[in-house]
Amino acid sequence: MLLLTLLLRSVGFYFFTSSIQNPESNNSYTAKLEQLKTIGRELAMGSQGGFGQSKEFLDLVKSIGEARSKSEEDRIVLHEIETLKRRINEPDIPKRKMKEYIIRLVYIEMLGHDASFGYIHAVKMTHDDSLLLKRTGYLAVTLFLNEDHDLIILIVNTIQKDLKSDNFLVVCAALNACCKLINEETIPAVIQQVVELLGHQKEAVRKKAVMALHSFHQRSPSSVNHLISNFRKKLSDNDPGVMGATLCPLYDLIAIDVNPYKDLVASFVNILKQVAERRLPKSYDYHQTPAPFIQIKLLKIMALLGSGDKKSSEQMYTVIGDIMRKSDTASNIGNAILFECVCCISSIQPSPKLLETAADAIAKFLKSDSHNLKYMGIDALGRLIRINPDIAEQHQLAVIDCLEDPDDTLKRKTFELLYKMTKSSNVEVIVDRMIDYMISINDSHYKTETASRCVELAEQFAPSNHWFIQTMNKVFQHAGDLVNPKVAHNLMRLIAEGFGEDDDAADSQLRSSAVESYLKIVDDPKLPSAFLQVICWVLGEYGTADGKYSASYISGKLCDVAEAHSSDDIIRAYAVTALMKVYCFEKSAGRKTSLLPECQLLLEELSASHSSDLQQRAYEFRAILDLDANAVENIMPLDASCEDIEIDKSLSFLDNYVHKSLEQGAEPYIPENERSGTLNISNIINRNPYEHPAHSLRFEAYEVPKLVVPTKLSPAVTYPTELVPVPEPSYQPTVSSGPVSDAGSGSGSTELRLRLDGVQKKWGKPAYSSAASSSTSNIDSQRTTVNGATQPDNVTSKSREPRQPHVEVSEEKQKLAASLFGGRTARPERKQSGSAAGHSKVSRTTNHGEDKAQPTTVTTAVQPPPPDLLDLGESSGAASSYSSTVDPFKQLEGLLDLSQDGHAVTTTTGPDLMSLYSGASTNGQNQNQNLNPLLNEKDNMNGAPNPSNRTASLTKGPSLKDALDKDALVRQMGVNPTSQNPNLFSDLLG
Amino acid sequence: MIHFVLLISRQGKVRLTKWYSPYSQKERSKVIRELSGTILSRGPKLCNFVEWRGLKVVYKRYASLYFCMCINQEDNELEILEIIHHYVEILDRYFGSVCELDLIFNFHKAYYILDEVLIAGELQESSKKTVARLVATQDSLVEAAKEEANSISNIIAQATK
């Protein structure tokens, strides 16, 4: 409908202009004029309804669209910024104009330029009375400002006012802004109103109020804690939209602490059941699936609630099984639900039957051709092998295919899976693969992650010292600068301490193999700094320990390092200290020691270094050179890096000295915080009697000041001109009334003075803080008993027959599979940290509040009845347009080709435009319905040649008519469709 | 939670951005540059997800326009794909066979609609009808206001000048 009128307009436009150019040639001029007026009206409507901006703005958008390079685009935008800067500050800009400027600012900002000069105007626009302008203002500020921006304080007042508005659209706009703009400091200013809006008659307002409270909770949980019961109440709201929105905050709350919500398990199960049974209105269906987004959210919540809780889990089994059975595996959304079910099953107390279904679902995912489903399958597999490690075996070939897939995302996900299933039998293969992959990628974030995973796995499962050292060398060589410095320190510690076994022989073997491998690679000029530090340290500490290498050889290498990296002070520091160690060990061993000439040179150079650290090290070294062997051995004992150094923090060895000084009349030392004059800042903060974080700003309006006439004054008294009684603008009776009566009774005379006592308190603490403190205790009392951290036991499932690999599978792959999946033996060797990572979800949810676990059960304060969705009202019957039987995703696949076809048609049929629509002017009255294009289904397209296109709005292809429509419209605006970007004209949905 | 929504054309031009987590203007440009590089270069048959800085970006291509949403590690990618599709369907209903050009010139309307679908990074309404009704109510008010402000004859006079 809309399109038809659009097209009409454009045709009219051409017609219109041509007739203006030569009006004489027109026989029935007046009749035409009437027609022109109609068309003109349409034009006017079109210019507002369609692209309601001025020519100038359209030109801007157009020129940016045509810009061929980023620099050209930047130039245009900078020019626009200049123009706007000038214009926007002109006095008396009409509001409509201003609105457009604001939208232009949004556009500039969207393109990544700074529009901050106009922020204040956007803020001003939110103050406007007209909803249209207000909405634009709110849109702009939510896009411009982050929650910590200074201007927010100017909007809070408007938001407060708008939340009280009678027009629910204004309230909605204000709530939208709340979600983005209200920060921790301003939450108290609006929270009361938002809570009241939870009971608003419009469901849209209730929904947004819930979401606003949710965003407050994310920003500052303490400010909303006393309102959590509201979320529970809203769960039984009779609008499914509100109920669905409530699931978001509840999910967050349950993720933080499960226990207060255990009582809701039955409700959630009940809701999920009803949703799955299609009890919700039809309009919540999405591609024939009943309210899938609500289902997914509920499954997520149930995964949290059922984790490690047998009783809760048992309540869920049936409904999850039902949903899995019903889910439509042909559609994407069905698979999304299926995946969420698998996640839920792997999180809750395992049920053998469900595990089997989950395994089947995973098998389907992995066998699918779609990369998306393969990805999800790998993800799901990673979750399920925590419970049943045998599952991986039947999918080994699929996993290896994914590992070798050209798709990087899939590859990474598979590496994640391998990381989860690493054990000592397959660690070598996995880590080698991971390292190869790590070397091949450039993304520093992921490189870091892979590197640290390699390190972690190598530390946990290393089969031999030699392998471990080699692996670490590779990791450090290729990603040394990216890994956390801690990893380097860990490595040093590991080499020093060994793997924890009390086997000195193994330890020294580890060290000498490290030294050996380091000496081999130390000359590589491109080693990362962190790795060189490790090398220097190890060479210094253990280079000469096994007597294989002479001290002078090691020293020579160390000097080379220091020389080659003369710009890196840290490496030089490591090197010089290592040199010192080598020297000391030699000397204390009683061997003849002499410093190499290059070492001497280095020392001299460092003594004059700009870095005081290097200088100090050099001077220390020089001082040691002059000491005898005995002293040296005390300073640098051999292999003592693991010995604890005791630090006497109280400096008791100085006691004698201090005592002596005091006796000689020195002043005693006063600790810094006891010295007079310097107040401890933390004391001041602690003096704050309120629990509430320092909310020093007040947002409620002051009450209207009432004139306080001193009671005992006789009316006859004339005030001295310079002493006027200060009227007390009492904003709060408790504060203001006290001083007033005091002053009145206390003075008891006609004595006049400036009353300042009451005034000063005006800036005191706000009163709302008390509510928060009482509520926190309330929450504590709601907490029911914590059931201990019962981890899901490893269910020993029936051992399945490992699938026979296909014949055509290459031998190499099979070998890889065998090395990855074979050898079930050593599984439980996985050490603590590994299992902790695997079970992180479980432990996160169960560890909470263990400290608070009280054996006495406190019954929960609020227990809403299980929400009944039965009375939600029946379907509103408008779903016909969605009852497409074709999967739209399938249709979208050929989208590119289709769109090009559509375009080809567009350009060739250009001349036919007039003939096509010459008789269409009768449809002119339809433009009135334009106002509400959404309510009119597209089926209303009267006389559309292709009605089948219309009936199912989701499945239509690029219709010729639509394309023509758009084409004509943009021609009218001067955008040339034959320019570089013809794709602009193809429908997004195909 | 959705951290941001990006609409990028195949040429890498930004069509819409909405940030639900705080990013400075500088970071925003960097994010857009980085992501458009990664996403636009991906082949058609690969999966619609990209892991990025510990988060995940789910994208979907419609004609020449890429819709991208950035989500947390633990979110369900397939669900996000459907949220994108949900949004596109609503746009399609609103504009009538929505095409990229509609979004270029009416980006503010696309923002209004997005505000009814997502709020604070969460899906707030999963019923297309409800969203459509709300947007329509807002538009009808807007149109009413506009009609008051404009007299049609004015425009005719201008046009015939």
Side-chain angles (χ1 to χ4, degrees), chain A residues 171-306:
Chain A
V171 181
C172 281
L175 282 172
N176 264 349
C178 273
C179 291
K180 177 77 202 273
L181 298 178
I182 295 297
N183 51 29
E184 192 176 353
E185 201 162 69
T186 42
I187 285 174
V190 292
I191 194 159
Q192 201 46 46
Q193 284 171 299
V194 174
V195 171
E196 278 162 25
L197 289 174
L198 287 175
H200 198 275
Q201 51 169 346
K202 284 278 183 189
E203 62 278 357
V205 174
R206 293 202 299 272
K207 187 176 65 196
K208 282 182 200 283
V210 168
M211 297 308 282
L213 280 182
H214 178 214
S215 76
F216 294 164
H217 181 261
Q218 283 175 332
R219 301 234 159 98
S220 150
S222 62
S223 63
V224 198
N225 268 344
H226 57 294
L227 300 166
I228 282 171
S229 60
N230 283 303
F231 292 137
R232 288 164 160 263
K233 258 183 256 160
K234 281 292 126 191
L235 195 58
S236 45
D237 195 282
N238 56 14
D239 181 76
V242 180
M243 186 271 290
T246 314
L247 297 177
C248 297
L250 280 175
Y251 174 75
D252 275 14
L253 287 167
I254 292 172
I256 294 167
D257 186 3
V258 202
N259 292 305
Y261 300 94
K262 289 281 186 195
D263 59 307
L264 286 179
V265 172
S267 313
F268 287 129
V269 170
N270 197 7
I271 296 176
L272 184 56
K273 209 168 130 220
Q274 297 186 46
V275 172
E277 285 168 358
R278 296 179 182 272
R279 300 274 183 83
L280 287 191
K282 265 278 192 300
S283 68
Y284 281 87
D285 279 12
Y286 179 87
H287 297 222
Q288 286 98 54
T289 313
F293 301 109
I294 292 176
Q295 286 194 43
I296 288 172
K297 205 87 210 178
L298 282 167
L299 284 167
K300 278 188 176 161
I301 290 176
M302 281 164 45
L304 293 178
L305 283 171

Side-chain angles (χ1 to χ4, degrees), chain A residues 705-715 717-729 740 743-744 747 749-759:
Chain A
K706 51 180 185 249
L707 207 71
V708 182
V709 183
T711 42
K712 298 198 176 171
L713 276 182
S714 65
V717 173
T718 51
Y719 299 113
T721 43
E722 66 279 295
L723 280 178
V724 181
V726 178
E728 194 105 26
V740 171
S747 57
S749 67
T750 57
E751 188 185 358
L752 281 176
R753 55 189 171 84
L754 277 174
R755 243 195 310 258
L756 292 172
D757 41 359
V759 178

